[in-house]
Amino acid sequence: MESSIRISSAASISSFKTSSTSPTENGPKSIPTVRSSAPPNGVLATFGSDPSKQQPEQEQREIITGSCGYVLEDVPHLTDYLPDLPLRNGAVQTYANPLQDNPSYSVVKQYFVNVDDSVAETIVVHKDSPRGTHFRRAGPRQRVYFQSDEVRACIVTCGGLCPGLNTVIREVVCGLYYMYGVTRVLGIEGGYKGFYARNTITLTPKSVNDIHKRGGTILGTSRGGHDTMKIVNSIEDRGINQVNKFCYCSMLYYTVYQVYIIGGDGTHRGASLIFEEIRRRGLKVSVVGIPKTIDNDIPVIDKSFGFDTAVEEAQRAINAAHTEAESIENGVGVVKLMGRYSGKSSLRDAVVNGVKTVKGFIAMYATLASRDVDCCLIPESPFYLEGPGGLFEYMEKRLKENGHVVIVIAEGAGQDLISETTLGTEEKDASGNKLLKDVGLWISQRIKDHFKEKKWTINLKYIDPTYMIRAIPANASDNVYCTLLAHSAIHGAMAGYTGFTVGPVNSRHAYIPFQLITEEQKKVVITDRMWARLLSSTNQPSFLDPETIKRLKASQEQLCETQSGHNRADG
C-alpha cells in the first residue's frame, strides 16, 4: 500500500490502469484490488471474487492502487456479491437517476458526481511525500440500481442521545421521498433489538415535518441488544432493501429495504456484522451508516453531528460557573462535561505509552470558545493535585491574582486518581463502556478539603450539565450538517453502494468503509497545536514533567515512522 499521506481534497481516479470494465456505463468499476497486509481482522480478501471462497464472518476491505500513486479505500457494491442481478444488454440493469427530472435540481450546473471522483484523507504533505489514501466522493450518480417503487427503507437509532438525531431521521425520510420518489419508509423503535422485539412506525414527510425542533429521537434508542441473525431475519422477512441506522456514532442504509443506522463505533461494529450476514445470504440490501457521537471521537471524518451544539450548550454552564465565581470572594466554579473513558489501561500509562483510550473534545473546544476558564482537565492529559506544579498550587495562584477560578473537567479525567482513593468493581453499560465515577463531585470535595487545611475560605459552586447538552435540539450549524449527511447516505445507497458510512473528509463528503470507523477512536493529541492553543489561552500548567513530554514526542515520532514503513512495504 502507498503511504497514507495525501495531497488534495478532491481528485480523480480515472487514471487508474484497470484490466476490466464497468458493469454498467456509469457504474462502479471492477478494478483489481491490492490486499492490505494488515487488515483489522487479519483476514485477506477481495470483493468481486468467488463468493464460496470469501469469508463473510470477517470484514473484508477493498483497497485499489493506481499508477498515479495513491490508494483508494473503496466501499462494497451490490455487484460485488450478487451474481444474479437482472441484466440488460449484457450488463447489470440500472436506471436513470430521478434527480435529472427533479425541478429542485434543474438549477444545478452539474447534476451528478463523477464515478471516479475521490477525496483525500490528508491534504497537508511535504514536498517529496507520496500521494496517500483516498475515499469515494459522496453524491448522486447518473445511474441508480433501484427503481423508486421497489425500495423499502428503514431507520434505526442506537446508543446515547445526540443533538441532530431527529434532523437526520427527517432528512432521510424527506430525501427519499422528494428526491427519489421512495414512499415506503419504516422507523425501527428501540434500537437494534427493535428489529425483533418492538413495533415499527411508518414514516412520511408529514409525520416527520417538525421533529427537528425536538431533542432526542422519535424512534427511541437503546444500548446492546444486538443479535445479527435475528436482525437480518427481520430485514429479510420485511422485504427491506435499504436500512439506515442512527446510533451513538453511525448510520446504515440497506437495499431490499434500505437500512439506515445512526450511531457510534459500537453501532458501526454491529452494522458491519449485519452487512456481512446480508452479503453471505446474497440479499439485495444496502447498509449505510451515519456516524453519530457527541464525543466527536469518530476517526477519519472531520467531526460528528451534534458536536457543535454540545459545545455551544456547554458554554452556558461555563458562563454560569464564571458568573457565580466572580461574584463572590474566592469563588471557585467547577463544571463537569462529557468526555467518555473507553479503555482498560490507566490514563497515565495510556498517555505515556501512546495507548489512546479517552477523549475530551467537548471540554477542550468549550474551554477555547469560552475564554473564561482557568484550567481544563481532560482524560488525555494526566494531572496531579498536590505538590509543586500541581492543580492546587495553580488554583492558589489564580485566586490571589483574580479572586476567582473556573475549572472545567471532562467526566473521564482523573479516574486513575479516584481509583487510588476509592474501592469498587469496574462496571460497564450494555454497550461495554466503562461506567465512570463522578469526578466532578470527587474533585470538588478534594478542593474543599485542601483549602480548609490551608485555612482559606472559598465558595465553590459545582455545575453538572452532562446530560443536558445531549438532549437538546440541534443548532443551525448541525441542522445543515445533518441534512448533508442524510442526502449523501441516500445517494450512496441508491447507487448500489453498501457496507459504508458517510462523512466529511477535509470538508468533502465521502463514503468510508466500516472497518476504518471501528478500528480506533479519535482522541485529543496533547502534543498537537490545538492543545497548545488551549494551554496558551488558559495559562494553565501542562502537568507534564519534561521527561514525560520527551517520551510523548518520541513515541509519536516512532508511531509515524512505523506506519510509514508499513505503507511502503504494502506498496
Side-chain angles (χ1 to χ4, degrees), residues 371-438:
R371 307 283 195 258
D372 291 328
V373 178
D374 296 288
C375 187
C376 175
L377 305 173
I378 64 173
E380 292 89 338
S381 179
F383 66 94
Y384 57 97
L385 301 179
E386 301 172 338
L391 177 64
F392 291 154
E393 181 184 77
Y394 173 68
M395 290 183 65
E396 292 173 12
K397 177 184 176 182
R398 298 299 287 176
L399 285 171
K400 289 177 181 178
E401 292 175 348
N402 298 335
H404 67 276
V405 63
V406 175
I407 308 293
V408 167
I409 185 166
E411 61 181 340
Q415 293 295 313
D416 54 339
L417 298 179
I418 301 177
S419 299
E420 295 173 1
T421 58
T422 60
L423 299 177
T425 58
E426 183 177 301
E427 298 180 2
K428 296 182 178 181
D429 62 19
S431 297
N433 301 314
K434 180 179 177 181
L435 294 177
L436 303 172
K437 298 179 176 65
D438 194 328

Side-chain angles (χ1 to χ4, degrees), residues 272-477:
S272 179
L273 293 174
I274 294 171
F275 160 68
E276 291 294 344
E277 178 60 20
I278 284 174
R279 179 168 61 179
R280 187 187 70 81
R281 299 188 189 186
L283 303 179
K284 190 182 178 184
V285 174
S286 290
V287 181
V288 181
I290 294 181
K292 170 192 71 67
T293 171
I294 203 169
D295 292 309
N296 197 37
D297 58 358
I298 300 294
V300 182
I301 66 173
D302 297 343
K303 67 176 179 179
S304 53
F305 73 83
F307 179 70
D308 281 353
T309 304
V311 171
E312 185 176 304
E313 188 67 14
Q315 283 188 80
R316 300 179 188 273
I318 295 174
N319 291 340
H322 180 254
T323 299
E324 289 282 353
E326 71 172 354
S327 298
I328 194 168
E329 184 179 5
N330 288 336
V332 177
V334 177
V335 180
K336 185 184 78 171
L337 298 176
M338 302 190 81
R340 186 177 61 173
Y341 172 80
S342 61
K344 297 181 180 179
S345 305
S346 70
L347 299 185
R348 281 198 176 93
D349 288 343
V351 173
V352 172
N353 296 324
V355 181
K356 301 177 180 179
T357 57
V358 286
K359 49 270 189 185
F361 286 103
I362 292 178
M364 180 174 71
Y365 277 82
T367 295
L368 278 168
S370 171
R371 307 283 195 258
D372 291 328
V373 178
D374 296 288
C375 187
C376 175
L377 305 173
I378 64 173
E380 292 89 338
S381 179
F383 66 94
Y384 57 97
L385 301 179
E386 301 172 338
L391 177 64
F392 291 154
E393 181 184 77
Y394 173 68
M395 290 183 65
E396 292 173 12
K397 177 184 176 182
R398 298 299 287 176
L399 285 171
K400 289 177 181 178
E401 292 175 348
N402 298 335
H404 67 276
V405 63
V406 175
I407 308 293
V408 167
I409 185 166
E411 61 181 340
Q415 293 295 313
D416 54 339
L417 298 179
I418 301 177
S419 299
E420 295 173 1
T421 58
T422 60
L423 299 177
T425 58
E426 183 177 301
E427 298 180 2
K428 296 182 178 181
D429 62 19
S431 297
N433 301 314
K434 180 179 177 181
L435 294 177
L436 303 172
K437 298 179 176 65
D438 194 328
V439 69
L441 290 174
W442 173 82
I443 201 170
S444 295
Q445 189 58 52
R446 289 298 304 272
I447 291 172
K448 291 177 182 178
D449 292 343
H450 170 78
F451 284 101
K452 184 176 182 180
E453 291 179 5
K454 300 280 290 188
K455 301 189 184 303
W456 279 33
T457 300
I458 64 169
N459 292 276
L460 187 146
K461 298 295 187 294
Y462 171 52
I463 298 176
D464 180 3
T466 300
Y467 292 101
M468 294 176 61
I469 68 174
R470 73 178 197 174
I472 62 174
N475 63 12
S477 173

Side-chain angles (χ1 to χ4, degrees), residues 173-191:
V173 174
C174 293
L176 283 169
Y177 187 91
Y178 292 119
M179 290 192 298
Y180 287 98
V182 176
T183 59
R184 294 179 292 183
V185 184
L186 293 178
I188 306 298
E189 295 185 302

Side-chain angles (χ1 to χ4, degrees), residues 12-157:
S12 172
I13 61 174
S14 58
S15 57
F16 285 174
K17 294 181 179 179
T18 66
S19 60
S20 59
T21 58
S22 170
T24 66
E25 181 181 354
N26 296 288
K29 295 182 178 179
S30 178
I31 304 174
T33 60
V34 176
R35 297 178 179 181
S36 169
S37 62
N41 51 26
V43 175
L44 300 179
T46 58
F47 293 103
S49 58
D50 185 351
S52 64
K53 297 180 181 179
Q54 295 183 2
Q55 301 185 38
E57 293 79 9
Q58 300 289 338
E59 195 162 333
Q60 304 169 17
R61 63 197 302 175
E62 181 180 17
I63 301 174
I64 301 173
T65 59
S67 58
C68 50
Y70 62 89
V71 175
L72 176 68
E73 282 272 9
D74 209 2
V75 296
H77 193 271
L78 293 173
T79 56
D80 294 332
Y81 65 92
L82 293 179
D84 298 325
L85 290 175
L87 302 179
R88 182 179 180 183
N89 298 327
V92 176
Q93 173 70 62
T94 60
Y95 312 93
N97 194 320
L99 283 178
Q100 67 184 15
D101 301 318
N102 190 315
S104 299
Y105 277 74
S106 61
V107 297
V108 179
K109 183 177 180 181
Q110 182 178 348
Y111 275 44
F112 305 112
V113 172
N114 189 301
V115 70
D116 286 342
D117 282 356
S118 69
V119 178
E121 184 178 3
T122 301
I123 60 175
V124 178
V125 298
H126 299 296
K127 181 177 67 173
D128 299 326
S129 297
R131 302 181 70 177
T133 301
H134 288 230
F135 305 102
R136 283 199 183 271
R137 184 183 178 188
R141 266 57 177 176
Q142 188 170 353
R143 308 292 295 181
V144 296
Y145 282 74
F146 303 99
Q147 289 184 308
S148 300
D149 58 0
E150 75 173 353
V151 172
R152 297 183 180 182
C154 73
I155 305 172
V156 61
T157 57

Side-chain angles (χ1 to χ4, degrees), residues 494-530:
M494 293 299 296
Y497 294 110
T498 180
F500 71 92
T501 194
V502 63
V505 179
N506 295 311
S507 301
R508 292 291 187 271
H509 282 241
Y511 298 140
I512 305 162
F514 280 149
Q515 69 269 14
L516 295 186
I517 299 297
T518 58
E519 280 179 345
E520 61 182 12
Q521 292 176 323
K522 184 168 61 178
K523 315 295 186 304
V524 173
V525 180
I526 62 173
T527 55
D528 197 5
R529 286 188 177 88
M530 187 59 73

